[in-house]
Amino acid sequence: MELVRRTIERYVPLRDTEWQRIAPHWTEHAFSRGAFVSAVGQVEQRFYIVKSGVQRLSFPHDGQDICVGFAYDGSWSGDYASFVTRKPGQFDVVAITDSVLLGIRHEDLQRLYSELPIMERFGRLIMEELLVGRGTREIEQLSLSAEDRYDRLVARSPHLLQLVPQKDIASYLRMTPETFSRLRRKR
Amino acid sequence: MELVRRTIERYVPLRDTEWQRIAPHWTEHAFSRGAFVSAVGQVEQRFYIVKSGVQRLSFPHDGQDICVGFAYDGSWSGDYASFVTRKPGQFDVVAITDSVLLGIRHEDLQRLYSELPIMERFGRLIMEELLVGRGTREIEQLSLSAEDRYDRLVARSPHLLQLVPQKDIASYLRMTPETFSRLRRKR
DNA sequence: AGCCGTTCTTGATCCATATCAAGTGGACGT
DNA sequence: ACGTCCACTTGATATGGATCAAGAACGGCT
């Protein structure tokens, strides 16, 4: 739970009195490898911080899962779009390894937004960060070759290669597992 | 200027006293066809609402401009990522038609965020909306074929076809102008 | 109006990567 | 330890869209 406080304080300062209002709304949730944190068609109930484990964000398409991201220690997890819109989501979030997530319910977060201006600011800053991240990723997807994207992933998140099946990484890099396998061999 | 008030009120209610604090910070900016609203490498000074005209959001890549979006009447414009991070941006924003934008400077918006909680909420809601839009677009880019992406654009934003050069739309749809031209012919 | 550069069209060809197919290896449960 | 199920590899073939090329139409400027 201390992780939640540290995480929020990366964005805004928190007084003890404020933290005491915030803390009770966060709860711990364990997911075994393979379990769905969120599923297509369901409204995302919580916004999560990853305490441990790796999760895959993907959506199904012609019987395949197309992977659009991973979440791991210290990052956000869940289907933000569904959480924010309160509409059925388009993404699956699956625990790739046993995972522990810290989550807050939508209604509780909304109440905190109204009660604590500092939380509203926290929410804005997170959304800004996620939006900036998407922009960066979009540029990378469009301007880097498959091999460069692989290198970038290795450089930035080498641990993923041990934890995540190659077929998921291949999908994340927009190629078939066959192409991924052939690229690897070239190294 | 009334447009700014109406736009903000799509997200949050505004009292007259609040609006009187907000209004003075917005200014009108005219751009002729072809003019740069924002350019790669510069820090975005303002966050804009489009009063009239169409702008293209793109980034340069081996001598080509890759188009990632358009802005038009009532939508947001500018390089949000640079505006938010205060770092040199990676995108060009170019007026495709003569345009009039309503803009607020970063420092002024920050002051409003601190002074008016309702504005902080407004900021959060915009960022949420932009983030959700990106997610939707990402799914479409990845799951639809070139032909389907074309059909979808025609169905949803037919007006763009009149306003924007086909090469820009082609780039936005991730295909060459030749492929775009052939798809058109087929219909 | 007439000129010139840009955008758009159309056809021929090419290539990176997908798809199909078949075999190998490793992890996990009983 | 064994069998089963996936994940991964490797080779052969197919294909969507890119690239190259060349002409037509459009639009902005003097």
Side-chain angles (χ1 to χ4, degrees), chain B:
Chain B
M1 206 52 46
E2 192 46 38
L3 172 61
V4 174
R5 181 167 189 173
R6 280 207 314 278
T7 302
I8 297 176
E9 288 189 321
R10 289 214 314 264
Y11 298 86
V12 294
L14 230 44
R15 276 179 288 219
D16 284 341
T17 57
E18 288 163 339
W19 171 240
Q20 281 152 27
R21 303 274 291 280
I22 296 166
H25 296 299
W26 291 81
T27 50
E28 220 174 270
H29 303 269
F31 297 89
S32 306
R33 198 167 81 78
F36 280 68
V37 176
S38 321
V40 169
Q42 300 190 327
V43 175
E44 179 63 271
Q45 293 303 314
R46 295 185 177 82
F47 184 74
Y48 297 103
I49 294 173
V50 181
K51 186 170 177 182
S52 64
V54 180
Q55 303 90 51
R56 184 190 69 195
L57 182 69
S58 61
F59 67 93
H61 176 63
D62 342 297
Q64 303 263 354
D65 279 336
I66 301 184
C67 177
V68 298
F70 300 100
Y72 34 85
D73 289 30
S75 70
W76 313 109
S77 196
D79 180 343
Y80 324 122
S82 171
F83 179 80
V84 157
T85 60
R86 311 313 294 145
K87 291 187 196 153
Q90 300 176 279
F91 296 100
D92 287 322
V93 178
V94 174
I96 289 183
T97 67
D98 289 351
S99 299
V100 178
L101 308 185
L102 299 164
I104 186 169
R105 295 178 84 47
H106 187 266
E107 65 214 65
D108 294 334
L109 183 59
Q110 299 309 310
R111 189 160 333 109
L112 288 180
Y113 280 161
S114 293
E115 293 175 357
L116 302 175
I118 200 78
M119 279 299 284
E120 187 89 75
R121 171 160 297 188
F122 166 70
R124 173 174 63 81
L125 292 172
I126 292 173
M127 291 300 139
E128 286 181 359
E129 183 178 272
L130 291 172
L131 184 67
V132 169
R134 289 269 180 155
T136 304
R137 180 168 140 76
E138 183 164 24
I139 288 189
E140 284 178 13
Q141 290 295 327
L142 295 175
S143 62
L144 300 180
S145 68
E147 200 166 338
D148 290 343
R149 295 200 300 279
Y150 172 82
D151 289 343
R152 172 82 58 125
L153 185 82
V154 170
R156 270 204 298 187
S157 313
H159 58 295
L160 276 185
L161 295 166
Q162 327 307 328
L163 297 169
V164 176
Q166 288 181 18
K167 75 186 170 70
D168 289 334
I169 299 179
S171 166
Y172 178 71
L173 296 177
R174 306 289 159 258
M175 62 183 79
T176 58
E178 291 93 329
T179 298
F180 184 85
S181 176
R182 284 185 254 267
L183 282 177
R184 264 183 124 223
R185 181 123 202 271
K186 276 172 69 174
R187 308 280 137 165

Side-chain angles (χ1 to χ4, degrees), chain A residues 7-66:
Chain A
T7 303
I8 296 178
E9 287 189 323
R10 289 213 315 263
Y11 299 88
V12 294
L14 229 45
R15 278 180 287 221
D16 284 342
T17 57
E18 288 163 341
W19 171 240
Q20 279 152 28
R21 303 274 291 279
I22 296 166
H25 297 299
W26 291 81
T27 50
E28 220 173 272
H29 303 268
F31 298 89
S32 306
R33 196 166 82 80
F36 279 68
V37 176
S38 321
V40 169
Q42 299 190 329
V43 176
E44 179 63 270
Q45 293 304 314
R46 294 184 178 82
F47 184 74
Y48 296 103
I49 294 172
V50 182
K51 185 170 177 182
S52 63
V54 180
Q55 303 89 49
R56 184 190 68 194
L57 182 68
S58 62
F59 66 94
H61 175 63
D62 303 332
Q64 304 264 352
D65 279 335
I66 300 184

